[in-house]
């Protein structure tokens, strides 16, 4: 039998928590955990208090429907007031689901960390004389804000502290239920599966203090170029929450398909989806927003307009200009099929009014994204309500279009989000409330905040996960083929996690404007990604963005974070994701991680 001292010598690493906490100390005492652990939840003023109990047995699963048949969901998770859920207090639902996830992750979806030890090393602790964690105390020090499920950036305090004593007492303290969720997520990352069965941590005692750097930490998922099922989206939300992401930007419609059912406009999805059954019903829409919200992930829905709307043509051709202009489509749009909502059409405004009346009350968020990227002015040469590509003619029409939509969004109690072009290319006058999502450059971020607007970052040279697969367009032999040979795509090469990790959202931003950078998003456009390759396109590279957004791009000494420090931790995060059913790709060979940092280069 091996002594703890020997174990220490052979354990050159601390728990590989991802994203990295603000401060963290650990020891080398082994503690075991099983389903007998008591979990208590005590909140300030007893709001949401759950009595001390065997929480794992009593509260897991929270709601059998969450884990069994998604089709049978009642559509009653939310009250009419978008702040609250039906039935229970949201705080209780949040905590109960988090406890269930903690149990499931530690005891059922864990992994044996052989890859992180030397070849043939006997690294596992002895299975005799086990000391078990007896109790996890969740302490919430303040009542949750009313909008805990639908916060604006900064409304919810996500900080937490975590202690685990050598004699098996765990305490997680936070101001909000979501802070406790983040703490429980970290807690699960202290544990491994033992090959003889059971789960243990070799790291007690543990002390962690943690809080996010940025309030907006997102992934943008495109469900229009390719369709993703509700379960694909839920798997992604779980993986996001596990990385402490808190915003799912749902780019739900685009030129190629309109999968979102709008009951007041039934033909939209019936004709505009790729196939009649490849849609999101109002029930799916509600369920996805709920499933995300109780994990502290707010869904921000985007209906991209006025470009990227060609799929409306399939039900209402009279609303769309330049539909599928061919063969010179690249004069009129960035990718086929071309098309834009007409810019000076009463019928378009009637359509939008009907859509907003139906959709906006069903949005469970504080935000709504109205798109606005890549509008090609030549489209309006073919728009019978305008017939011009003169920006002096188009700009006032675009202003009217945005004002109409943003007024409706605000009337529904939501804050508008737009792509950077609306401000930086079209020079529109946008309300102070509007959040501007940048994607083209770091200069764009600087310009947005210089104009006093709140900004989201996500420079495509760093944070576009779709890049590097090469072209999906086919080129005729001869000139076109030669011009594009060897068929790189617009943002080749692929963005390696190290490049993503090197991206600083505050690069070039004056200190007095940095508060306007709310955070950012990485993006998975789906031209060449469908459910078969989605997980390995996104994971674990998106984890690099998650850590930059949670922990910041600089370490505690103000230096750029080290790839050499991060890499083995990210490899471990990848193993966790795989254990949880996410098909994340490896970032190195086991050889590299089996003995420290053998695949690094100093000069
Ligand atoms: C939701 O809660 C926020 C914060 O308490 C409040 O300002 C807002 O009015 C509420 N919204 C609704 C629709 O009740
Ligand atoms: C917009 O439409 C109105 C009504 O049809 C028309 O009078 C006006 O000239 C149009 N504006 C432009 C810029 O084409
Ligand atoms: C505007 O349209 C004219 C053709 O009517 C074309 O020659 C010109 O290049 C277009 N302008 C831009 C900026 O594309
Ligand atoms: C916006 O302003 C820039 C810089 O003044 C100008 O080049 C551009 O043409 C303007 N765009 C529109 C649509 O008016
Ligand atoms: C740190 O990262 C920034 C980009 O965010 C880069 O410009 C700079 O050169 C890096 N510094 C070092 C010392 O590598
Ligand atoms: C930030 O500081 C710069 C330079 O001192 C100044 O020009 C600018 O107006 C300041 N911006 C804000 C938002 O205070
Ligand atoms: C493991 O790393 C240590 C420290 O760098 C080195 O001394 C040792 O030779 C390595 N072992 C193997 C098997 O590569």
């Amino acid at each position: 039998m091996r002594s703890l001292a020997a174990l220490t010598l052979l354990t050159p690493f601390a728990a590989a928590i991802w994203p990295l906490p603000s401060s963290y100390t650990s020891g080398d005492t082994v503690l075991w955990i099983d389903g007998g652990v008591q979990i208590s939840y005590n909140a300030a003023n007893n709001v949401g208090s759950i009595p001390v109990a065997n929480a794992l047995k009593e509260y897991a699963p929270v709601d059998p429907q969450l884990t069994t048949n998604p089709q049978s969901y009642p559509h009653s998770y939310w009250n009419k007031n978008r702040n609250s859920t039906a039935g229970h207090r949201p705080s209780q639902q949040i905590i109960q689901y988090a406890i269930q996830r903690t149990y499931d992750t530690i005891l059922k979806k864990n992994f044996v960390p052989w890859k992180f030890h030397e070849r043939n090393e006997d690294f596992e602790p002895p299975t005799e004389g086990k000391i078990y964690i007896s109790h996890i105390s969740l302490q919430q020090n303040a009542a949750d804000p009313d909008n805990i499920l639908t916060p604006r950036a900064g409304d919810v305090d996500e900080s937490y502290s975590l202690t685990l004593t050598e004699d098996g007492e765990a305490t997680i303290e936070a101001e909000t239920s979501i802070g406790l969720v983040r703490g429980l997520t970290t807690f699960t990352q202290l544990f491994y599966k033992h090959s003889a069965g059971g789960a243990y941590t070799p790291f007690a005692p543990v002390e962690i203090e943690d809080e996010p750097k940025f309030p907006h930490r997102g992934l943008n998922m495109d469900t229009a170029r390719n369709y993703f099922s509700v379960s694909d989206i839920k798997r992604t939300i779980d993986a996001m929450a596990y990385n402490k992401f808190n915003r799912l930007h749902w780019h739900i419609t685009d030129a190629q398909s309109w999968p979102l059912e709008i009951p007041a406009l039934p033909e939209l999805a019936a004709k505009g989806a790729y196939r009649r059954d490849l849609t999101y019903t109002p029930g799916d829409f509600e369920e996805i927003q709920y499933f995300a919200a109780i994990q502290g992930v707010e869904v921000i829905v985007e209906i991209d307009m006025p470009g990227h709307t060609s799929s409306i043509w399939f039900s209402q051709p009279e609303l769309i200009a330049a539909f599928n202009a061919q063969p010179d489509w690249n004069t009129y749009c960035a990718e086929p099929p071309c098309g834009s909502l007409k810019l000076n059409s009463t019928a378009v405004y009637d359509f939008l009014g009907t859509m907003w009346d139906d959709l906006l009350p069903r949005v469970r968020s504080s935000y709504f994204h109205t798109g606005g990227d890549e509008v090609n002015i030549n489209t309006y040469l073919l728009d019978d309500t305008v017939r011009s590509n003169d920006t002096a003619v188009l700009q006032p029409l675009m202003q009217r279009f945005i004002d109409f939509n943003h007024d409706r969004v605000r009337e529904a109690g939501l804050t508008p989000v737009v792509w950077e072009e609306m401000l930086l290319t079209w020079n529109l006058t946008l309300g102070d409330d509007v959040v501007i999502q940048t994607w083209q450059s770091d200069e764009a971020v600087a310009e947005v905040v210089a104009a006093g607007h709140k900004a989201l970052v996500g420079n495509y040279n760093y944070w576009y996960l779709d890049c590097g697969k090469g072209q999906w367009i086919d080129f005729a032999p001869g000139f076109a083929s030669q011009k594009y040979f060897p068929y790189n795509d617009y943002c080749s090469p692929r963005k390696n996690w190290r490049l993503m990790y090197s991206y600083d959202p505050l690069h070039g931003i004056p200190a007095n404007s940095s508060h306007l950078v709310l955070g950012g998003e990485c993006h998975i456009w789906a031209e060449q990604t469908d459910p078969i390759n989605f997980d390995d396109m996104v994971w674990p590279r998106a984890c690099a963005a998650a850590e930059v957004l949670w922990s910041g791009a600089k370490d505690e000494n103000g230096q750029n974070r080290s790839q050499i420090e991060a890499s083995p931790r990210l490899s471990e995060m990848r193993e966790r994701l795989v254990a949880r059913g996410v098909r994340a790709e490896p970032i190195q060979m086991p050889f590299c991680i089996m003995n420290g940092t053998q695949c690094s280069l100093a000069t």
Side-chain angles (χ1 to χ4, degrees), residues 177 190 216 247-248 261 267 274 303 341 362 441 469 545 584:
S177 57
L190 300 171
H216 185 120
R247 299 286 188 269
L248 170 64
E261 291 186 14
E267 305 254 276
Y274 273 131
I303 303 288
L341 283 169
R362 296 189 284 115
S441 64
K469 294 186 87 80

Side-chain angles (χ1 to χ4, degrees), residues 377-378 381 389:
I377 53 174
N378 289 324
L381 292 170
N389 67 353

Side-chain angles (χ1 to χ4, degrees), residues 273-573:
Y274 273 131
R275 217 175 62 176
R276 226 188 162 86
D277 57 336
L278 297 184
T279 63
Y280 304 106
T281 65
D284 297 338
F285 188 69
E286 177 112 352
E287 178 190 337
I288 285 167
Q289 293 178 93
Y290 173 79
F291 185 80
I294 59 164
Q295 303 195 62
V297 178
E298 187 169 347
V299 175
I300 299 181
V301 176
E302 177 188 3
I303 303 288
D304 197 355
M305 299 180 296
H308 293 275
T309 50
S310 317
S311 55
I312 296 170
W313 181 90
F314 293 96
S315 56
Q316 281 167 275
E318 69 283 4
L319 305 182
I320 299 296
F323 175 74
N324 203 14
Q326 292 282 9
D328 54 341
W329 56 264
N330 62 350
T331 304
Y332 302 102
C333 63
E335 71 182 36
C338 292
S340 168
L341 283 169
K342 292 179 182 176
L343 263 200
N344 186 27
S345 154
T346 312
V348 165
Y349 283 103
D350 290 346
F351 163 85
L352 291 171
T354 306
M355 184 173 73
W356 294 143
D357 284 346
D358 182 310
L359 179 62
L360 294 179
R362 296 189 284 115
V363 167
R364 309 301 188 174
S365 167
S366 282
Y367 296 97
F368 192 87
H369 200 314
T370 62
D373 58 327
E374 297 184 317
V375 177
N376 182 313
I377 53 174
N378 289 324
T379 299
Y380 303 108
L381 292 170
L382 307 181
D383 177 346
D384 58 10
T385 70
V386 184
R387 293 212 181 280
S388 170
N389 67 353
D390 178 355
T391 53
V393 173
L394 298 175
Q395 207 255 11
L397 297 174
M398 189 66 84
Q399 182 74 54
R400 184 174 150 228
F401 182 83
I402 284 286
D403 288 345
F404 176 86
N405 293 321
H406 285 189
D407 285 350
R408 299 303 297 264
V409 166
R410 289 187 190 99
E411 279 164 22
L414 305 170
T415 298
V417 186
V418 293
W419 291 107
E420 64 175 63
E421 288 96 319
M422 292 289 98
L423 182 72
L424 302 180
T425 307
W426 286 82
N427 311 324
L428 298 186
T429 303
L430 298 169
D432 290 341
D433 53 338
V434 178
V435 177
I436 315 285
Q437 180 159 31
T438 65
W439 65 279
Q440 301 194 94
S441 64
D442 292 356
E443 292 69 41
V445 185
E447 282 180 56
V448 167
V449 300
H453 282 286
K454 299 185 193 78
L456 300 177
V457 308
N459 186 326
Y460 78 107
N461 295 298
Y462 295 83
W463 278 11
Y464 269 31
L465 295 159
D466 56 313
C467 302
K469 294 186 87 80
Q471 287 282 353
W472 49 270
I473 297 195
D474 302 318
F475 302 99
F479 178 73
S481 184
Q482 280 159 24
K483 182 175 166 196
Y484 287 94
F485 189 84
Y487 314 118
N488 288 330
D489 58 64
Y490 76 105
C491 55
S492 291
R494 186 178 157 98
K495 310 310 173 201
N496 186 275
W497 78 266
R498 294 172 185 82
L499 181 72
M500 297 181 66
Y501 198 63
S502 76
Y503 178 55
D504 183 355
L506 297 178
H507 184 67
I509 303 301
N512 62 1
S513 303
S514 60
H515 65 285
L516 292 171
V517 178
L518 300 181
E521 298 180 353
C522 53
H523 304 258
I524 180 65
W525 303 111
E527 284 88 350
Q528 299 186 80
T529 300
D530 75 1
I532 299 298
N533 66 340
F534 181 87
D535 284 6
D536 59 86
M537 285 297 289
V538 173
W539 308 109
R541 289 185 299 152
C543 303
E547 180 153 297
V548 167
L549 291 166
W550 178 275
S551 316
K554 309 277 185 217
D555 65 19
E556 65 277 15
N557 302 318
Q559 303 300 309
N560 294 347
R561 289 192 186 281
S562 158
Q563 292 169 16
I564 295 174
E565 183 282 322
S567 182
R569 271 193 306 114
L570 185 55
S571 281
E572 222 179 297
M573 189 61 178

